[in-house]
Structures are given as C-alpha cells and as structure tokens.
Amino acid sequence: MITHLKGKLVEKNPTYVIIECGGVGYFLNISLHTFSQLNDEESIRLFTHLQVKEDSHTLFGFVEKSEREIFRLLISVSGIGSSTARTMLSSLTPIQVRDAIANGDVPSIQSIKGIGAKTAQRVILDLKDKILKVYDMGEVSLQSNNTSKEEALSALEVLGFVRRQSEKVVDKVLTKDPTLSVEDIIKLALKNL
C-alpha cells in the first residue's frame, strides 16, 4: 500500500525514524543498517513495508530496496517475525544475510540473537532458491576470483581431497579474505581439511 516515503527527517534513533510528509509524521521502524546509512539530511526517502495485524499497523523503513526485499523474504519464513528479521538486518548487512543464506552458512545465521539451529536451517531451506533467483546468482559460487578458486580446487583434487569437501573449505577461506593468492588458498584449505 505505501511503497516509500519522502519527506523531512524529524527524529532519528537506532531503531526508528519519524518522517514528516505533507504535515503528517510517520513512525518507521528501522534496522541498524538503515540507521548507519542515513545522513543527517533534512529531506530523506525510505522504502517501506507496511505490516497489518488485527491490533496494529506497523511501518518499516529501508534505505535500499534490496534490504526491503530481504526483510520480506525473511518474514515469509515460519517462525521469523518482523522483529527477528529486523534483528537479523541489524546484526548483519543485507549482503551478509543474502550470502549466508545462498551459501547455507548456518553458523552465521545462528549467531543472531534469538535464532537457534533449527530456525537457521529453516531460513536457509526456505529461502536459498528464492535468494538465488532474486539476485540472479548462479549455483552458490559467489566469490569474485573464481579462477583462483578453481585452480586451488584442482590442486586439492590432485592431492587426493574430495572436491565437494574442498569447495566448502575453500569458500570459507575466501569469505575471510577474497584477495588471497592460489598458494595461500591451498595452504589455508589444507589446514582445515
């Protein structure tokens, strides 16, 4: 119903903002990510999500459309409400949430307050295909230096390691530092295999 609000920033807090549009003040719940992206400009525009319940109408505001899309995907999962989704987007950036889901990274999602192992697995199970489709990602290889990754995986295969197991370890190594050389990737992967 309300897709975005553009108006005067009246009040800004880590959990909410108030925007005045045409003489009406709108209270929008925000994540820490959105809070950190907001400058102290007088005029701002936020993308919104309106949640309608029996007893309340709640507006959520987002600086980026992509954050709103991830929020909407998260609240579509059974057991994830709007406050848990907002906590996720406050603990991790939208890109980190997207990548954690796409890579099946249960520990990253589970590290968020209020999310246990089963809920983290459900989030990944329910959203992995949707995330890959929405962001037009190929089957889970997100690293930008694919040539280094491929060379490292080939070398590990030659050394007798199973490719599937090696790929998981190499992906973890590359998420920590995507600029590593092939030799460094192999060295770090061997320590974890």
Side-chain angles (χ1 to χ4, degrees), residues 9 12 34-44 63:
L9 179 61
K12 175 181 154 188
T34 290
F35 177 76
S36 68
Q37 300 287 311
L38 284 176
N39 301 323
D40 290 327
E41 299 168 12
E42 193 169 305
S43 179
I44 64 166
V63 169

Side-chain angles (χ1 to χ4, degrees), residues 9 12-17 19 28-40 44-48 60-69 71 85-86 88-94:
L9 179 61
K12 175 181 154 188
N13 287 294
T15 56
Y16 71 89
V17 292
I19 301 177
L28 288 96
N29 293 285
I30 60 170
S31 67
L32 282 175
H33 175 74
T34 290
F35 177 76
S36 68
Q37 300 287 311
L38 284 176
N39 301 323
D40 290 327
I44 64 166
R45 175 180 164 187
L46 290 180
F47 297 98
T48 60
F60 294 89
F62 310 94
V63 169
E64 304 153 343
K65 266 188 180 177
S66 59
E67 183 181 12
R68 180 177 65 182
E69 293 312 308
F71 177 84
R86 186 168 70 157
M88 289 177 80
L89 290 166
S90 293
S91 303
L92 302 170
T93 66

Side-chain angles (χ1 to χ4, degrees), residues 20 24 30 39-40 44 55 58 66 84 94 122 130 133 162 172 179 187:
E20 186 178 314
V24 179
I30 60 170
N39 301 323
D40 290 327
I44 64 166
D55 58 346
T58 311
S66 59
T84 304
R122 190 177 320 115
K130 291 177 186 173
K133 208 176 286 176
V162 180
K172 278 184 187 172
T179 62
K187 286 177 189 172

Side-chain angles (χ1 to χ4, degrees), residues 48-173:
T48 60
H49 173 79
L50 175 64
Q51 184 178 52
V52 179
K53 290 185 174 178
E54 276 182 32
D55 58 346
S56 68
H57 288 63
T58 311
L59 269 174
F60 294 89
F62 310 94
V63 169
E64 304 153 343
K65 266 188 180 177
S66 59
E67 183 181 12
R68 180 177 65 182
E69 293 312 308
I70 289 174
F71 177 84
R72 287 177 171 168
L73 286 172
L74 290 170
I75 62 174
S76 73
V77 176
S78 173
I80 301 283
S82 55
S83 50
T84 304
R86 186 168 70 157
T87 302
M88 289 177 80
L89 290 166
S90 293
S91 303
L92 302 170
T93 66
I95 291 169
Q96 289 172 324
V97 172
R98 178 198 75 187
D99 291 351
I101 293 168
N103 288 319
D105 187 354
V106 174
S108 287
I109 294 173
Q110 200 178 335
S111 71
I112 297 160
K113 185 179 180 284
I115 295 190
K118 285 186 178 179
T119 306
Q121 290 167 345
R122 190 177 320 115
V123 166
I124 290 168
L125 187 68
D126 288 3
L127 298 182
K128 188 172 186 174
D129 291 340
K130 291 177 186 173
I131 287 274
L132 292 172
K133 208 176 286 176
V134 168
Y135 289 95
D136 201 28
M137 294 179 188
E139 190 45 48
V140 199
S141 207
L142 301 171
Q143 302 339 354
S144 55
N145 57 350
N146 272 338
T147 53
S148 299
K149 177 183 171 181
E150 286 304 317
E151 287 178 39
L153 287 171
S154 298
L156 290 167
E157 254 182 311
V158 171
L159 293 171
F161 293 98
V162 180
R163 185 176 181 91
R164 197 174 196 127
Q165 185 183 4
S166 300
E167 193 161 11
K168 287 178 184 173
V169 173
V170 168
D171 283 342
K172 278 184 187 172
V173 167

